[in-house]
Amino acid sequence: MSLAHTFTAIFSGNPEIVCEAPGRVNLIGEHVDYCDGFVMPFAISDRTYAAIKRRPDRKIRMSSMQRPNEIFETSLDDLQPSGEGNWERYICGVIWAFGERITDGLEILVDGHVALGAGLSSSAALECSVAFGLDQLFETGFSLAQLAKLAQRAENDFVGMPCGIMDQSVSLMAQAGNALLLDCRDLSTEQIPLDLASAGLELLIIDTQAHHTLVDGGYAERRASCESAAEKLGIKALRDCSITQLEDSRNKLTELEYMRAEHIVNDIKRVHECVDRLKNNDFITVGQILTKSHASLRDLFEISCPELNLAVDTALENNSLGGRMIGGGFGGSAIALFKVADIDQAKRAIAAAFKEAGYTEPRFFTSLPSAGAKVTI
Ligand code: GLA
């Protein structure tokens, strides 16, 4: 059944609005968003849809196409941040972050098509589909950057995940055909054309299906190290540090802080190099930059895992121009750039390597750079 039909079957009446927001792949600039750095993600074609209707009272009722038999109920007056719950927390968090601008109760049905736990930001897609819809319905007039901050606040302060601003920004601001160069300090953007097909190339997304338990604690710990390094260096964020400055101040940092900071400073530099090389259609160097980023995430930031390393290494052994793990780390997806003609063989080789290692079978995706959040027609 379609989203609108299911909505009517679960709640009475039709939705007033249906909005959608995509997941993302981050091309380059990993874990640098909370260091005020630059990132270059693009939106994938998979997205989450949110059908919304206002109610005459203050009740909130929500359901998901993935669990249509569960209806979660609360009220505008009962929204309290808590570590408890499931998918509904992300929606409650967004409503909470809008505060008194939301004056009516709500009925919300979501339909998520972004693979869960694959490091493709299904949570940002969910938050942004709802945030975009509420902004339209209640005519709050927020800019996309303001909406991104609002959705980030929902995740930081309501759900309790100390994420940066990248995922929500790209989910809202992406444009089809482009990667989004985002300055995470002031949220200014530049759309960078990403036309791999014209060069006979494709970016393979490899979902390793691995989910290591370190995810939450490991992420927060990396963020804390970067923040303490910046403080010891007397700067606002690691974005304000060059590699020479970092080397000159080595004695101010612990060994671990130095490793983390070295990754951040170099990965921000790699983002700018990558933009430059993309503008020159130099995909060979783009591939090399991705592979260097992977080594840095693996060895300095220490957030890769055996499955991600195997995916990247096997891709490289099978003619990939370059690849790396993406997202928060400790599992999820990797990307690898290929000539279209080489992709099928590489997929077979990666699947075989996973089988041999006794890992869960990986899933493969590809996606063109797609549009950000919008009202679904
Ligand atoms: C997660 C977070 C983002 C970002 C990435 C790593 O996806 O939500 O804010 O920090 O990890 O780059």
Side-chain angles (χ1 to χ4, degrees):
M1 240 193 325
S2 74
L3 183 64
H5 279 107
T6 312
F7 188 97
T8 313
I10 297 179
F11 310 115
S12 49
N14 297 321
E16 287 180 83
I17 196 166
V18 180
C19 290
E20 59 187 76
R24 63 99 187 91
V25 154
N26 186 18
L27 205 54
I28 188 86
E30 214 63 273
H31 275 258
V32 304
D33 59 350
Y34 54 74
C35 300
D36 280 3
F38 289 80
V39 293
M40 191 164 42
F42 67 85
I44 56 174
S45 50
D46 291 337
R47 42 202 58 229
T48 292
Y49 300 81
I52 311 176
K53 179 173 183 278
R54 285 170 287 191
R55 289 175 57 94
D57 56 17
R58 292 179 65 80
K59 268 192 202 158
I60 301 170
R61 300 179 75 223
M62 57 181 95
S63 186
S64 132
M65 292 288 274
Q66 283 65 48
R67 293 164 188 267
N69 298 324
E70 287 175 22
I71 295 183
F72 178 85
E73 285 203 21
T74 181
S75 140
L76 281 180
D77 306 309
D78 292 336
L79 294 174
Q80 290 295 340
S82 94
E84 304 290 297
N86 246 313
W87 58 274
E88 73 281 353
R89 284 187 301 160
Y90 296 90
I91 303 181
C92 289
V94 167
I95 302 170
W96 169 84
F98 269 99
E100 290 177 358
R101 293 177 185 87
I102 306 297
T103 45
D104 305 304
L106 296 162
E107 271 153 6
I108 303 179
L109 177 65
V110 292
D111 188 8
H113 290 255
V114 182
L116 295 180
L120 301 175
S121 256
S122 55
S123 51
L126 176 57
E127 291 154 8
C128 294
S129 63
V130 174
F132 197 84
L134 293 179
D135 178 62
Q136 300 278 314
L137 271 185
F138 291 89
E139 297 178 356
T140 50
F142 283 135
S143 66
L144 294 177
Q146 285 171 321
L147 278 182
K149 284 189 186 159
L150 184 148
Q152 182 198 21
R153 198 155 73 78
E155 192 154 340
N156 288 171
D157 299 342
F158 196 94
V159 178
M161 157 66 182
C163 65
I165 191 72
M166 169 171 73
D167 305 342
Q168 294 78 6
S169 301
V170 66
S171 186
L172 289 158
M173 301 178 197
Q175 288 179 11
N178 295 313
L180 182 78
L181 174 63
L182 174 73
D183 178 340
C184 298
R185 174 160 279 169
D186 63 10
L187 299 194
S188 58
T189 60
E190 185 183 339
Q191 300 286 343
I192 309 291
L194 183 62
D195 183 5
L196 299 173
S198 294
L201 300 173
E202 201 166 279
L203 193 72
L204 181 65
I205 305 166
I206 309 150
D207 173 11
T208 64
Q209 304 236 51
H211 312 288
H212 293 285
T213 45
L214 261 173
V215 180
D216 295 341
Y219 185 93
E221 192 264 327
R222 297 311 182 277
R223 185 170 179 159
S225 291
C226 293
E227 286 168 356
S228 72
E231 204 185 318
K232 289 183 186 173
L233 295 171
I235 51 179
K236 184 160 178 276
L238 287 177
R239 179 250 182 81
D240 301 311
C241 185
S242 71
I243 198 69
T244 328
Q245 283 168 311
L246 183 65
E247 280 163 7
D248 291 347
S249 311
R250 192 170 192 142
N251 59 353
K252 292 188 183 158
L253 305 181
T254 64
E255 185 64 21
L256 205 63
E257 284 165 345
Y258 188 82
M259 281 163 65
R260 306 301 190 234
E262 193 182 345
H263 163 74
I264 299 293
V265 173
N266 281 323
D267 225 43
I268 294 175
K269 200 158 153 252
R270 280 189 280 268
V271 173
H272 297 302
E273 283 165 11
C274 196
V275 170
D276 177 67
R277 292 299 86 207
L278 276 179
K279 286 181 176 170
N280 285 283
N281 289 324
D282 175 6
F283 295 105
I284 303 274
T285 310
V286 168
Q288 291 164 353
I289 294 171
L290 298 184
T291 307
K292 280 190 194 148
S293 177
H294 181 74
S296 174
L297 290 160
R298 183 189 62 209
D299 302 335
L300 296 175
F301 221 64
E302 298 180 303
I303 55 166
S304 192
C305 65
E307 294 87 344
L308 285 166
N309 294 337
L310 185 63
V312 172
D313 292 346
T314 314
L316 293 174
E317 284 158 17
N318 284 272
N319 291 334
S320 173
L321 281 73
R324 65 180 199 87
M325 57 147 289
I326 58 164
F330 311 109
S333 295
I335 52 174
L337 189 60
F338 283 99
K339 286 193 185 126
V340 174
D342 289 332
I343 276 212
D344 284 339
Q345 160 58 24
K347 281 193 210 168
R348 281 194 293 273
I350 295 167
F354 268 57
K355 193 165 183 194
E356 169 143 359
Y359 299 155
T360 309
E361 197 179 339
R363 290 187 294 182
F364 299 105
F365 308 85
T366 53
S367 174
L368 292 175
S370 304
K374 58 182 183 188
V375 176
T376 304
I377 308 295

